[in-house]
Amino acid sequence: ARTIGTKTHFPGAVITYAAIHVLGQVAQGKPERLQIISSAKVTKLLTAGAKVTGVEFTRENGSVESMTGIVVITTGGYAGACAPGTVLAKNAPGLVKFPTTNDERASGDGITWAQAVGAGTANLDKVELTPTAAVLPGQADSQFKVVVSDAVSGAGAKLLDASGKRFCNEMASSKERVDAMAKSKGPFRLVIKAKQAQSVQWLVDFYTQRKVMKKYSSARELASEMRV
C-alpha cells in the first residue's frame, strides 16, 4: 500500500522530484558533502578483494572516470530490457515477449554490476504482470505500454471483454485479473462512468490528453464502437 498520496500528481513522480530538489540544494550549499554527476553511466563496481570500493563511470563525452568510497546501489528495475542475455531473459524467459510498462531505463544495470562482483540475488523470476497496461495510439505493435492506475478501478471502473461483458473483479489481485484475461477474449476495455470519474478526474484527464482514454457521450456510443 502507498503511504504517500496526492490528488493531482503521481506519487512516484512527486517523491522523485522532491528528492532531486532537496539533493540539489544540498549539493549547491555543501558541495564538500555531495556532488551530483548527471549524463553519466556507471559501467562497473570497483573492488579490493571482496570489498566494493567505488565505481567506474563514463561521461557523456566518452571520458572514463572513477570514484572511490561507500557504494549504495539504488537502481534495480530490469523489466524494460528484453533482449537475450538481459536480467529478465535470464531469470524470467517466458516473459520477454510480453508487453512491458517499463522503458529502456529499467535495464537491470545495478543488478548486473552487483552480480559481477559476487553479490547474491533472490526472486528475480518473480515478475508481476499488470492487467491495466494500455496501448498507445498508433503503437499497437510496440512492446511498451502505459499503466492505467488502479485508482481508476478503485473509483468504480469496470473491465469489459470483447463482447462488452464484465469478466472479473476489478479490485482483485493483478494475478487474478491477468488470469481472467487469459481465459477471456480481448481487446479489453476499462470503462468508468463520468460521475465515478470525478474522484480521479486528474487521472482521467491525464490519460485522455495522451489518448489512452476516450470520452463517450453515452453507453450506446461505446457499444456501437465495440460492435456489441
Side-chain angles (χ1 to χ4, degrees):
R2 293 193 184 278
T3 57
I4 297 178
T6 171
K7 294 182 179 180
T8 55
H9 296 86
F10 289 104
V14 171
I15 295 169
T16 299
Y17 288 128
I20 291 173
H21 176 68
V22 171
L23 290 173
Q25 289 183 316
V26 174
Q28 184 175 8
K30 299 182 179 180
E32 74 282 0
R33 294 192 61 187
L34 176 65
Q35 178 185 5
I36 297 177
I37 300 174
S38 58
S39 299
K41 180 180 177 65
V42 173
T43 52
K44 68 178 181 179
L45 300 178
L46 304 177
T47 60
K51 183 179 180 180
V52 174
T53 57
V55 298
E56 180 181 278
F57 61 95
T58 303
R59 291 187 182 270
E60 195 172 31
N61 61 10
S63 65
V64 178
E65 301 179 30
S66 63
M67 295 185 72
T68 58
I70 296 173
V71 177
V72 179
I73 298 176
T74 58
T75 176
Y78 57 92
C82 305
T86 59
V87 176
L88 182 67
K90 290 178 180 178
N91 294 277
L95 299 181
V96 295
K97 293 184 178 180
F98 276 76
T100 177
T101 57
N102 293 253
D103 62 24
E104 66 278 0
R105 293 171 296 178
S107 56
D109 290 348
I111 296 171
T112 302
W113 310 326
Q115 288 181 317
V117 296
T121 58
N123 300 325
L124 293 181
D125 59 323
K126 303 296 190 294
V127 180
E128 184 177 77
L129 296 178
T130 180
T132 52
V135 177
L136 289 166
Q139 300 181 41
D141 296 329
S142 172
Q143 193 165 28
F144 176 72
K145 309 298 179 187
V146 173
V147 175
V148 175
S149 171
D150 272 346
V152 178
S153 294
K158 305 303 180 187
L159 275 168
L160 306 182
D161 63 15
S163 67
K165 295 181 180 179
R166 184 184 178 201
F167 60 93
C168 70
N169 177 359
E170 293 77 14
M171 298 309 296
S173 68
S174 292
K175 184 180 186 308
E176 289 177 292
R177 286 176 285 168
V178 168
D179 288 346
M181 284 180 167
K183 298 175 183 177
S184 305
K185 183 180 179 180
F188 303 101
R189 288 174 171 83
L190 185 67
V191 180
I192 187 169
K193 295 179 180 179
K195 186 174 182 180
Q196 294 173 322
Q198 291 177 0
S199 63
V200 287
Q201 193 62 52
W202 76 272
L203 276 172
V204 173
D205 290 342
F206 174 86
Y207 294 126
T208 302
Q209 289 168 6
R210 285 154 181 77
K211 299 183 179 180
V212 173
M213 293 187 78
K214 180 179 179 180
K215 293 182 180 180
Y216 294 88
S217 60
S218 66
R220 183 182 296 275
E221 182 185 2
L222 170 61
S224 176
E225 183 171 301
M226 294 177 66
R227 299 181 180 179
V228 295

